[in-house]
Amino acid sequence: MTNNADMYDVAVVGGGPAGLAAAVSAHDAGAKRVVVLERDVRAGGILLQCIHNGFGLHHFGEELTGPEYALRFVKQAEERGIEVKTSTMVVSMDEGGKGGKDGGHIITAMSASEGLIEIAARAVVFSTGCRERTRGALMIAGTRPAGVLTAGAAQHFVNIDGYLPGRKIVILGSGDIGLIMARRLTLEGCEVKLVCEVMPRAAGLARNMTQCLENFNIPLLLSTTVIKIHGDSRVTGVTIAKVDEKLRPIAGTEEYIECDTLLLSVGLIPENEVCAASGVALDARTKGPLVNQCMETVVKGVFACGNAVHVHDLVDFVTEESLLAGKCAAEYALSLSASKGAANEKNKTVSVHVEAGEGVNAIVPQRLDIAAGGNIPQGEGKARIMFRALDIFRNVTIKASFGGAVIAQRRAAVVRPGEMQTLEVPLEALSKGMAGESSADGGGAANGGVQTGVTISIETRGDK
Amino acid sequence: MTQSMTCIVCPMGCQLSVSKDEGGNITVTGNTCPRGDKYARKELTCPTRTLTCTVKVTGGVRPLVAAKSNKEVPKERLLDCMSIVRRAAVQAPVKQGDVLAADILGTGADVIATEDVSSA
C-alpha cells in the first residue's frame, strides 16, 4: 500500500476516555488528520453510564460524575476539529495482509451511515476497553431463567434505558461495579438483599463499602458464593454457601435466598479480538497487548491504551496513559510521513523485558525499548511502570532492579491489590548498562548469570 | 467514645478514628489530608451525601438524563429526594448544568443535569 496524502495520521479505535485522550494528544503533538472510531451512538465510553461521582480528582482536581468527565474530553476533541465517527464498529485491521507494512495500516469497519468502510492510517491506537465476566465463565449450576445479568449490563438498563432489572436483587461479587449498583438500585426503590463475595476480603474500594453498603444497611457476606440459580422463566431465588480457603463450597452452609435478579460483578476482561487477530501479541496475565513505555504494541505503529491494556481503577490514570499513547502514535505517524514510508532503519532498538518479581502481579509495560548502542533513550527518558500488588502489604519498598543493581525505588505505607501502583524508571540506567554489550541481541547472556531484564518487586521493610 | 469510619471523600478511603469527649470536643486521627478531618466531624454531626441519579426526559434522543445534586443533602433524606426525582420530567433539549429540580425538599440543593440530551 502507498503512504499517500489521503491517509489519516492516527486512527483511534474506541471513543471512550482513553481513545478521546489519545486523539486529543495526537492532535496536539502535530498529527493533522486524526479519526476516532466509536461503535456506540455517541462518544464517551463506559463513563456515560457511570452516573455516580468520584472521577477526576487527580486529573482535574475536582470530583466529577462519569458523564461530566467523559464530556470534557468529547468537547476537547470537538474544539480541535477531530473527526469522530460514531455507530462505527471496527471489525478487523490489516485483513488478508493488506496494509500492516511500512506504509501504515488498513482498518475495516461497519458504519451505520456509510456501510462497510476502510480507513487507512499511519498509526493506530486501540482503546477498546473491556467487557465483564459472565455467568458462563463462572459455571454456576441451575436453570437458565431471565434475571441473571452482569452489573454493568444492569447499569446500562437503569441509567441509559430507564429499566429496572428486577425488584429483589442479590449481587455476587464485591467489586466496585457491584457496590455502586447496590446503591443505585436501592435509590431506585429495589430491595438489594445482600452482596456476596467469594474471597475473604471485599474487592472494591473501602469508600464504596461505606457509601454503598453500610449507608443502606445492605449486608456483605464474605467467603460466600452463589452455587445455584433457581427459577423457570424468571429467577425465583439463589442458593448461597460459604467457601473454604480453597474457595470450595462448604457442605451444610447452604442457604436459600428469595430474589428475582442476580447481578454478577466478578471481573473485567480487556477486549482485544480485533488487534489480536491482526498480529498484536497479548500478555496472558493482563489479557491486554504487550506494550513498551510508549504504549506501542509488538506491531510497529500500533499502540494501545486504557482498559484494553490492563484494567484500571481510576480513569485519571487511563487519561495519563492515553495522552502518552496518542503523543507517541502521532510521533510515529509524522516520522513515517516524513520518511515517505521507508522503514526507518536508523532507529534499531533493543528490548529490555520487564518482569514481575516478589509480591508483584502483572506489569505494564512489559518491555522497554532502548535505542541500540546505548545512546539517547527512546521516549521521555523515564518509563512509568504500572502494576498491582499480589496482596495487602504494609511498610514496603518498591524496587526496580536491573543487572543486579536497584535503578529506582520508593517507599509506601501500604499497597493493595485493588490500587494500581506506579514506579518511574530512568531509561538512562538501562542505556548505561547496555553500552558495553553487543547491540545485536536484547542484552543477552554476555554477562553470564546477571539478570537481563528489569524486575519490579515489593519488599516488606524490616523496620517498624 | 471512639468510633472508626472510612472517609469517603476520595478513593483512598482512609480509616479514621473519631472520638468525642464529654465536653463535645471531637478528635480525628487517621486522615492523610484536611478534607478527612472535615468529613469526620460532619459525619458525626450532620452526615450529608451528593445525590447522583437520572431524570426522565420527554422529546429527547434518549429517555433519561444523568443528574446530580449540586450540593450535598442530608444522608437520611436521600430516599425522600429520590421520590421527588422519580416523579420529575424535563423537556429536551437539556444542557449540562440545567436545573431539573430546584431546592429539593428544601435542602437548598438543586438537581442539575450532568450531560446534554438533544431533542429527538
Side-chain angles (χ1 to χ4, degrees):
Chain A
M1 67 168 286
T2 51
N3 178 9
N4 61 41
D6 283 344
M7 284 180 77
Y8 285 97
D9 289 310
V10 179
V12 179
V13 181
L20 292 171
V24 162
S25 73
H27 176 276
D28 292 352
K32 305 227 178 3
R33 296 198 71 216
V34 177
V35 65
V36 176
L37 306 168
E38 168 54 49
R39 68 187 175 193
D40 206 334
V41 298
R42 50 179 177 147
I46 203 71
L47 286 185
L48 296 174
Q49 66 183 58
C50 299
I51 64 158
H52 50 281
N53 56 11
F55 305 96
L57 276 164
H58 292 269
H59 191 73
F60 291 115
E62 322 170 41
E63 192 174 46
L64 302 173
T65 59
E68 287 170 317
Y69 191 98
L71 287 181
R72 296 251 170 130
F73 288 94
V74 170
K75 289 199 160 76
Q76 284 188 22
E78 263 171 27
E79 284 159 7
R80 288 159 174 74
I82 292 170
E83 193 181 345
V84 178
K85 288 186 190 291
T86 53
S87 298
T88 300
M89 177 138 190
V90 171
V91 294
S92 65
M93 182 177 75
D94 300 336
E95 206 178 320
K98 277 196 292 190
K101 310 216 170 40
D102 302 327
H105 301 276
I106 299 198
I107 289 170
T108 306
M110 300 289 295
S111 157
S113 54
E114 301 174 72
L116 187 67
I117 59 174
E118 280 192 348
I119 304 265
R122 298 184 177 91
V124 179
V125 179
F126 279 94
S127 43
T128 43
C130 55
R131 51 169 76 101
E132 301 174 276
R133 280 181 78 212
T134 59
R135 175 200 178 161
L138 297 180
M139 296 190 290
I140 302 178
T143 46
R144 301 286 185 269
V148 180
L149 55 169
T150 53
Q155 192 179 51
H156 195 282
F157 279 127
V158 176
N159 296 340
I160 307 286
D161 306 318
Y163 291 100
L164 289 178
R167 297 267 178 205
K168 278 196 197 150
I169 325 278
V170 167
I171 299 179
L172 173 58
S174 62
D176 288 315
I177 307 175
L179 301 180
I180 290 289
M181 284 313 290
R183 175 177 65 181
R184 182 78 183 106
L185 290 168
T186 303
L187 286 173
E188 286 292 352
C190 298
E191 183 192 353
V192 178
K193 301 194 99 171
L194 57 93
V195 175
C196 50
E197 164 58 53
V198 73
M199 300 301 276
R201 258 194 298 271
L205 296 172
R207 85 191 288 215
N208 284 334
M209 303 291 296
T210 295
Q211 63 186 4
C212 298
L213 298 188
E214 285 160 29
N215 288 172
F216 294 95
N217 299 314
I218 299 169
L220 169 68
L221 306 181
L222 297 174
S223 296
T224 305
T225 195
V226 171
I227 59 170
K228 196 165 179 189
I229 298 173
H230 307 263
D232 189 6
S233 55
R234 179 78 205 188
V235 171
T236 50
V238 296
T239 300
I240 61 174
K242 285 237 156 291
V243 298
D244 61 21
E245 71 288 343
K246 288 201 166 74
L247 308 185
R248 292 172 308 201
I250 301 170
T253 66
E254 298 90 352
E255 191 185 338
Y256 178 75
I257 309 287
E258 193 199 326
C259 63
D260 63 18
T261 309
L262 174 65
L263 290 196
L264 304 174
S265 176
V266 292
L268 298 173
I269 309 169
E271 188 169 342
N272 288 299
E273 280 81 17
V274 172
C275 68
S278 71
V280 172
L282 303 184
D283 181 341
R285 257 169 141 175
T286 59
K287 307 277 193 287
L290 296 166
V291 293
N292 68 5
Q293 73 274 21
C294 298
M295 305 308 292
E296 189 173 19
T297 67
V298 299
V299 178
K300 282 240 136 291
V302 176
F303 299 76
C305 56
N307 275 354
V309 177
H310 53 159
V311 177
H312 287 258
D313 316 306
L314 300 179
V315 70
D316 308 69
F317 286 7
V318 165
T319 298
E320 271 185 64
E321 181 180 274
S322 305
L323 291 172
L324 174 63
K327 176 169 176 285
C328 294
E331 285 170 0
Y332 177 89
L334 295 174
S335 75
L336 197 66
S337 178
S339 64
K340 303 251 188 298
N344 209 332
E345 289 297 329
K346 278 180 280 195
N347 287 349
K348 263 230 149 76
T349 57
V350 150
S351 293
V352 177
H353 193 236
V354 186
E355 283 168 15
E358 184 192 331
V360 171
N361 194 10
I363 23 93
V364 170
Q366 296 87 347
R367 72 181 191 278
L368 301 172
D369 288 338
I370 314 296
N375 293 326
I376 302 149
Q378 225 180 36
E380 295 291 317
K382 269 193 299 205
R384 199 167 69 126
I385 316 281
M386 295 166 282
F387 55 94
R388 294 180 184 277
L390 277 170
D391 204 337
I392 299 180
F393 300 119
R394 295 177 198 279
N395 287 335
V396 297
T397 306
I398 302 171
K399 289 183 183 168
S401 316
F402 178 69
V406 173
I407 57 173
Q409 66 180 337
R410 68 172 173 85
R411 292 184 159 193
V414 63
V415 292
R416 298 186 181 90
E419 289 156 18
M420 190 180 284
Q421 303 293 327
T422 59
L423 180 67
E424 301 231 314
V425 166
L427 295 174
E428 211 183 29
L430 302 182
S431 302
K432 286 204 180 101
M434 310 293 274
E437 300 183 13
S438 102
S439 56
D441 66 357
N447 289 339
V450 176
Q451 61 188 99
T452 56
V454 172
T455 303
I456 310 295
S457 60
I458 298 175
E459 289 164 28
T460 313
R461 297 203 298 278
D463 58 89
K464 246 185 337 95
Chain B
M1 182 53 181
T2 309
Q3 71 183 74
S4 38
M5 61 169 72
T6 303
C7 179
I8 63 168
V9 176
C10 87
M12 279 207 60
C14 298
Q15 296 305 302
L16 309 177
S17 199
V18 194
S19 47
K20 197 168 172 179
D21 64 21
E22 294 93 35
N25 300 307
I26 299 173
T27 318
V28 180
T29 53
N31 53 310
T32 54
C33 87
R35 289 182 300 165
D37 180 275
K38 210 167 146 208
Y39 168 79
R41 287 168 197 283
K42 196 120 190 304
E43 196 67 3
L44 235 48
T45 54
C46 176
T48 56
R49 297 285 185 268
T50 301
L51 175 68
T52 54
C53 54
T54 51
V55 175
K56 179 176 164 179
V57 175
T58 51
V61 293
R62 291 191 306 281
L64 302 174
V65 62
K68 70 176 185 188
S69 59
N70 61 359
K71 284 211 314 249
E72 294 198 2
V73 302
K75 179 180 135 219
E76 308 314 317
R77 307 215 67 195
L78 282 174
L79 287 166
D80 291 337
C81 289
M82 282 304 297
S83 302
I84 306 293
V85 167
R86 219 175 285 130
R87 287 169 183 71
V90 62
Q91 177 73 26
V94 186
K95 282 241 149 295
Q96 199 175 57
D98 282 357
V99 174
L100 310 174
D103 189 21
I104 190 161
L105 290 181
T107 57
D110 299 331
V111 173
I112 63 173
T114 53
E115 58 173 350
D116 305 331
V117 179
S118 37
S119 301

